[in-house]
Amino acid sequence: MSRVCKTAGQIAFVGAGPGDAGMLTVRAQHLLNCAELLVTDLDVPPDVLALAPGAEVRPAVGEPGEVAKDLVAEANGGRVVVRLVSGDPLTADAVVAEALAVARTSTPFEVVPGVPTGTAVPAFAGVPLGSGHTEADVRAGVDWTSLAAVPGPLVLHATASHLAETAAALIEHGLAPNTPVAVTAAGTMPTQHTMETTLASLNGDIGELIGPLVVTVGSVVGQRTKLSWWESRALYGWKVLVPRTKEQAGAMSDRLAVHGAVPVEVPTISVEPPRSPAQMERAVKGLVDGRYQWVVFTSTNAVRAVWDKFAEFGLDARAFAGVKIACVGEATAERVRAMGIVPELLPSGEQSSDGLLADFPPFDDILDPVDRVLLPRADIATETLAAGLRERGWEIDDVTAYRTVRAAPPPAETREMIKTGGFDAVCFTSSSTVRNLVGIAGKPHTRTIVACIGPATAETAIEFGLRVDVQPEVAQVGALVDALAEHAAQLRAAGALPPPRKAKNRRR
C-alpha cells in the first residue's frame, strides 16, 4: 500500500538496522523518502542516508535533552523530522532519553524499530543463536559474574581493545578456555569479515578487524561451517569494475552485490541526444503515418530514445499500432515490454545482430503491406544489421537515435587500480565500453578476470589485447554476472584461486 508523505510537523525515531540498507523496514524507507530533516547517528552508512535524497542531514550531537529540543523545534516549524539511529532506536539509552523528552511535549512522534545488530550480525555470520541468547555491551562495563553464568550464547558488542579483557574475565568467571568465539567486523556490509577462535586465543592476533565488533560466544559458533552464507558467496570480497553509464550501472551492480562482490562503477560512455533532432522527428512521424512494417531495437538506449521522443510529441504506445517490433536481446525486449508492448521477434539463438538476422523474415511483397524497417540506434553502431536486412529485401531507415560520447577519466586512484590489478574482474557490456575504458584509464591488468556480454564485445576485447575469461550463453547483464560468479566458484574449487579476499573492514 502506498503512503502519502505527511506535510505537518512530526518526529520519527527510525532504526537504521545493522548497516545494510537492504535491512531497513518498508516504513523506515518511506519515512526516509519523506524526510525534510535527518538527524543521524554518525555511524549510519552512506547507503542508508542516500535514501533520503531531499533531506537536510545533521549529526546528532549533544546531550539527549539538547537533541530532543532541536527535534521538537524543527517539527513545530512544520518539517518532517527523522531521528535516524543505528540498530534499533529504543535499545540505545541516549535515544530512549531523547524519546522521553519528546514525549513530554505535544509534538507528535512515532518509533520505527530497526533490525537489531545483535541478532542480524550473527545471522549474517552464519551463527544460529537459537531461542535464547544474552546480549551485552562490554564497552560500557558489565557484571562479568552474571554474564558468565547465563545459559545460551553470548552476543557482545566490543572493539579490538576490549577483547583481551573480555576473554580473561569470562574464563575467570567460569567459561571454558576452549569455548568457541566468532568475531565479526562490518557486520551485514559488503566488507564483513568473521574470525573464528576460542576464548583462550581471543587475546591473540585478530588481523584487520577494526571498528565496532560483534563477538558471539558459545558452542553455536561451531554451526558456522554449515550456515556461513554471506561470506561464502562466489564473488565475496571481490572488487569488480563496472564500466557502464551511470543510468545503466545499477542493475549490474545490484546483481554483483547478490554474489558478494563490491562493484565499482566507472562510467566510460555518456549517452546524449543526436546533434540534429530532424531524423528522429521524421521517424516518429513515419511511425504515426504507417510508414514502417518493423521497428528493430538493438539496445535499451534506443528504446529510451524513441520513448523520450514520443513524450515530446505527446504520444504513447498506441503510436506502434500495426507495427511489428524486433529486439536484438532479452534486456532490450524487457524495456519494450515495460512500455506495454510485446515484441514479435527475438533471436532464437545467439542474442546479437547476427542472431536476429538468422530469424528475421525476408520481405514478401504479397504478405507485407509495407517494405520499410525503422532502425533507431547509436551513432557508432556497425552496419551488419542494416546490410543484412537489405539483403532480405527490406528498405531501411537507419536513424541516429542517440550518441555515445567517451566519458571523463576516472580518478587517479581508480586508474592505478585498473592498471596494477586492484580489480578482481571487469564486466564489459559492449564494444564501446572496452574501447572507452582503455582510452580513459588504460588496459586492465592481466590478473583481472575479463567478462564480456557477447561475441562482438569479446572480439573487441581481444583486439585490445585482453584475455576473455567469461562469456555467457545469453547476452544479458544478469547472465553475464552469474557466469562470472560460476567461473570464480569453479576456479576456487579447482584450487586456482585463494579464498575470497577480505577488504579492510571499516564501517562506512
Side-chain angles (χ1 to χ4, degrees):
M1 178 185 299
S2 62
R3 298 174 184 262
V4 177
C5 288
K6 185 176 176 62
T7 55
Q10 72 171 53
I11 299 169
F13 293 88
V14 174
D20 180 2
M23 295 294 101
L24 286 167
T25 64
V26 173
R27 180 61 177 160
Q29 292 183 56
H30 168 76
L31 287 169
L32 287 174
N33 186 61
C34 293
E36 295 170 309
L37 173 63
L38 211 59
V39 179
T40 178
D41 284 354
L42 295 177
D43 56 350
V44 172
D47 288 351
V48 176
L49 299 178
L51 297 176
E56 176 192 348
V57 179
R58 295 181 193 169
V61 293
E63 295 298 318
E66 296 172 350
V67 175
K69 183 178 179 180
D70 184 40
L71 298 176
V72 170
E74 293 289 353
N76 288 345
R79 305 180 82 181
V80 178
V81 179
V82 170
R83 171 67 174 95
L84 190 59
V85 182
S86 294
D88 195 16
L90 297 190
T91 62
D93 292 340
V95 180
V96 171
E98 292 172 18
L100 289 171
V102 169
R104 289 192 288 269
T105 73
S106 60
T107 305
F109 71 95
E110 67 174 292
V111 178
V112 180
V115 175
T117 300
T119 53
V121 173
F124 271 64
V127 179
L129 297 178
S131 58
H133 72 282
T134 300
E135 193 171 341
D137 190 339
V138 301
R139 298 167 296 186
V142 296
D143 181 345
W144 293 110
T145 302
S146 299
L147 192 63
V150 299
L154 301 176
V155 178
L156 309 177
H157 300 270
T159 64
S161 63
H162 298 89
L163 296 182
E165 176 193 0
T166 297
L170 290 175
I171 292 173
E172 179 184 349
H173 289 85
L175 290 189
N178 64 348
T179 302
V181 177
V183 184
T184 303
T188 78
M189 302 299 286
T191 53
Q192 174 180 304
H193 184 194
T194 301
M195 181 196 72
E196 292 184 52
T197 183
T198 64
L199 279 179
S201 302
L202 192 56
N203 192 22
D205 180 22
I206 62 165
E208 296 179 331
L209 298 184
I210 57 179
L213 305 176
V214 175
V215 182
T216 311
V217 181
S219 60
V220 294
V221 172
Q223 299 295 321
R224 189 169 179 273
T225 55
K226 302 174 183 176
L227 297 177
S228 178
W229 62 278
W230 184 252
E231 295 174 47
S232 62
R233 292 170 297 167
L235 299 176
Y236 187 77
W238 280 34
K239 287 186 178 179
V240 179
L241 184 61
V242 180
R244 304 203 80 192
T245 64
K246 291 181 179 180
E247 295 78 13
Q248 294 178 316
M252 177 177 284
S253 294
D254 290 346
R255 191 66 163 245
L256 285 165
V258 167
H259 288 290
V262 179
V264 178
E265 299 173 0
V266 176
T268 59
I269 59 174
S270 175
V271 176
E272 299 183 4
R275 288 188 174 89
S276 170
Q279 270 194 326
M280 278 292 286
E281 289 173 358
R282 284 196 299 269
V284 171
K285 184 177 185 300
L287 278 169
V288 175
D289 293 341
R291 176 180 173 83
Y292 301 109
Q293 176 80 351
W294 286 90
V295 176
V296 177
F297 288 115
T298 58
S299 68
T300 57
N301 285 327
V303 179
R304 185 185 299 112
V306 170
W307 198 244
D308 288 347
K309 189 59 67 173
F310 275 18
E312 285 184 28
F313 288 99
L315 301 173
D316 56 26
R318 288 172 292 185
F320 284 109
V323 181
K324 296 180 180 179
I325 307 294
C327 298
V328 163
E330 183 58 39
T332 304
E334 278 301 313
R335 181 57 62 93
V336 170
R337 293 186 189 107
M339 297 164 55
I341 301 169
V342 178
E344 277 79 10
L345 181 63
L346 275 80
S348 59
E350 178 183 291
Q351 294 201 5
S352 65
S353 294
D354 289 337
L356 184 64
L357 283 172
D359 293 335
F360 206 93
F363 171 68
D364 188 316
D365 57 4
I366 296 177
L367 298 178
D368 296 314
V370 181
D371 67 350
R372 193 166 293 274
V373 174
L374 174 60
L375 182 57
R377 54 186 186 148
D379 57 333
I380 60 172
T382 63
E383 297 297 320
T384 302
L385 185 54
L389 291 172
R390 289 189 183 99
E391 290 177 1
R392 284 159 176 74
W394 295 98
E395 293 293 325
I396 309 299
D397 278 2
D398 194 351
V399 174
T400 297
Y402 61 95
R403 294 182 299 126
T404 54
V405 180
R406 180 178 291 181
E413 180 183 359
T414 303
R415 298 199 301 272
E416 186 66 16
M417 287 180 62
I418 291 171
K419 295 175 184 177
T420 60
F423 289 103
D424 297 280
V426 57
C427 293
F428 290 117
T429 55
S430 67
S431 293
S432 59
T433 59
V434 179
R435 288 191 293 268
N436 289 346
L437 180 70
V438 174
I440 66 176
K443 287 172 54 175
H445 192 274
T446 54
R447 76 166 296 276
T448 301
I449 292 174
V450 175
C452 294
I453 198 166
T457 305
E459 182 178 343
T460 303
I462 293 170
E463 289 174 0
F464 277 86
L466 300 178
R467 179 196 68 250
V468 176
D469 303 288
V470 177
Q471 182 182 319
E473 293 183 3
V474 179
Q476 296 177 11
V477 165
L480 173 64
V481 174
D482 293 347
L484 174 62
E486 182 179 355
H487 180 73
Q490 290 174 349
L491 289 177
R492 190 170 294 113
L497 286 179
R501 298 188 310 177
K502 311 299 183 186
K504 289 187 177 182
N505 297 287
R506 185 183 301 276
R507 262 191 198 276
R508 295 176 292 170

